[in-house]
Amino acid sequence: MLRLLPLVLGAFAIGAETFLISGVLPQIAADLRIAPASAGALVTVFAVAYAFGSPLIAVATAGVERKRLLLAAIGAFALSNLVAAVAPNFAALAAARALLALSAGTFMPAAIAFATAIFAAERRGRAIALIYAGMTLATVIGVPAGAYLASFAGWRAPFFGVAALAALAAIGVAAALPRLDGLRAAGFAERLAVLRRPDVLQMLSLTTLALIGPFAVNTFLGLLAETALGVGGDRLALVLGYFGVVSFLGSQFGGYAADRWPRERSLAIILAVLIVAFPLMTLGPRLGGEAGAALLLAGVALWGLFGWAFPIVQQARLVGLDPAMAPITLSLNVSALYVGVAIGSSLGAWTVARWSVDSVGLVAGLSEVLALAWLALARAAKPAAQAEATLAAAQIEPMM
């Protein structure tokens, strides 16, 4: 497993850059003289580029030797961070974020494919979990550290820091990983065939709906903490670190729930909790005082614990649907996830511009109501679909 450490470091760097933006968004808006709501487009640009760019790149680079592809991807990620760090205006920074998404969307699937190819079947799960641990730990360590760095060195400093981490990961990939021939990837026709399956389409739609609320809030979490709690600088880093810890615990809880409880029931409970959690992040700031701060932090804790459990349970549900097509469904699920991120960040920006930053909690809660309703409709339709399948089979048997 030690040979995977460069990939873990690369995932850590990608996670830090991906989630750091919410913590430095107020500084970026002030420095580039744009409205905070407009600055939220940086998340939308990243999400759209990742959602649609990653599957296209996966097909286009399927035959490329894996080590070379990993080096190119993490190298491009490092350079894109440098471009972001010196961006003279918002347009240049948005373009850098698009490049960051494309390079991250190339590296992560290639890293997972590499890990599954060099280990025996009984060790592949641990190898994949180790790489994802790098991204998860970024929310605990990398994001608050970046916010703290930005508090005294400016918002550009964390981009330089992430570029250095990515460069170290590139050195590790070059030095420690063996060469590995390109792997066959599912083509566009295969992906579209899977996407046309009603059960798959329903699950992917749920992923998109469920991620709208979290990223309506996550995009403006730093701004919300500054305005509601009156914190900034190193104290903001503490709030982000608090969220990172509960998010990490939430990912572990998601793994436990996926293995031990009925997955649809787990998803229903998760969504129901989020419907309660997000409005607390509106009620708390409007109540004010210590009680309001406690409500806001309680909402953040519930969001971290249950919101980060959702992707784990949903991925396990997709794999259980048909393990043979799991590589395709999981890839499509990532795209569906980032479509949700794009919609959520845009919805959050609209909410902040039209009403106030604390209104994003209420809007996020309503988004989760839609997700829960969609899950309930799908569960209600399942017995009817199964009955139709049984009837069709019964009608075919006499003809055979």
Side-chain angles (χ1 to χ4, degrees), residues 10 35 102 116 138 141 144 158 203 225 227 237 249 253 280 321 333 363-364 385-386:
L102 293 174
T116 57
I141 303 171
M203 291 187 189
T227 56
L249 295 175
F253 166 67
L280 292 179
L321 181 65
N333 190 59
V363 171
Q386 290 175 341

Side-chain angles (χ1 to χ4, degrees), residues 49-357:
Y50 200 117
F52 296 101
S54 182
L56 294 175
I57 292 172
V59 174
T61 61
V64 178
E65 191 269 319
R66 298 292 93 181
K67 181 176 179 177
R68 182 185 303 171
L69 180 62
L70 288 167
L71 273 173
I74 199 63
F77 186 78
L79 290 174
S80 299
N81 272 283
L82 293 178
V83 173
V86 300
N89 52 49
F90 179 76
L93 182 56
R97 286 282 288 170
L99 293 174
L100 285 164
L102 293 174
S103 52
T106 303
F107 180 86
M108 289 303 296
I112 298 300
F114 193 96
T116 57
I118 66 173
F119 286 101
E122 64 272 12
R123 302 181 67 189
R124 288 173 183 167
R126 282 173 289 171
I128 295 172
L130 183 61
I131 293 173
Y132 274 114
M135 182 169 281
T136 307
L137 287 174
T139 65
V140 182
I141 303 171
V143 173
Y148 179 74
L149 178 61
S151 69
F152 63 84
W155 65 267
R156 299 177 187 274
F159 285 103
F160 282 115
V162 173
L165 288 174
L168 286 176
I171 293 171
V173 168
L177 297 186
R179 290 176 56 84
L180 184 67
D181 290 338
L183 305 172
R184 181 189 176 277
F188 295 117
E190 292 171 276
R191 292 170 186 265
L192 288 174
V194 173
L195 187 59
R196 283 195 292 265
R197 284 184 49 162
D199 49 357
V200 173
L201 189 58
Q202 181 275 324
M203 291 187 189
L204 297 180
S205 300
L206 178 65
T207 294
T208 296
L209 287 173
L211 268 292
I212 290 173
F215 276 88
V217 176
N218 187 77
T219 305
F220 299 97
L221 180 58
L223 182 62
L224 179 62
E226 283 192 358
T227 56
L229 301 177
V231 300
D234 55 350
R235 294 181 66 192
L236 176 59
L238 289 176
V239 174
L240 296 176
Y242 163 74
F243 177 62
V245 170
V246 295
S247 298
F248 178 78
L249 295 175
S251 67
Q252 303 307 301
F253 166 67
Y256 180 91
D259 287 340
R260 291 167 174 78
W261 299 331
R263 288 163 186 165
E264 289 188 0
R265 185 182 302 172
S266 296
L267 291 177
I269 292 171
I270 289 168
L271 294 172
V273 171
L274 292 180
I275 289 170
V276 175
F278 286 130
L280 292 179
M281 301 172 72
T282 295
L283 179 61
R286 294 184 180 181
L287 181 63
E290 293 184 359
L295 283 177
L296 173 61
L297 293 175
V300 170
L302 290 172
W303 166 29
L305 288 170
F306 287 85
W308 276 76
F310 175 87
I312 308 298
V313 178
Q314 180 73 334
Q315 287 183 80
R317 186 172 170 234
L318 277 164
V319 172
L321 181 65
D322 188 343
M325 66 177 187
I328 300 176
T329 54
L330 293 178
S331 173
L332 292 171
N333 190 59
V334 170
S335 292
L337 185 152
Y338 276 99
V339 169
V341 173
I343 297 172
S345 59
S346 298
L347 179 62
W350 181 82
T351 302
V352 171
R354 186 174 179 86
W355 293 307
S356 62
V357 67

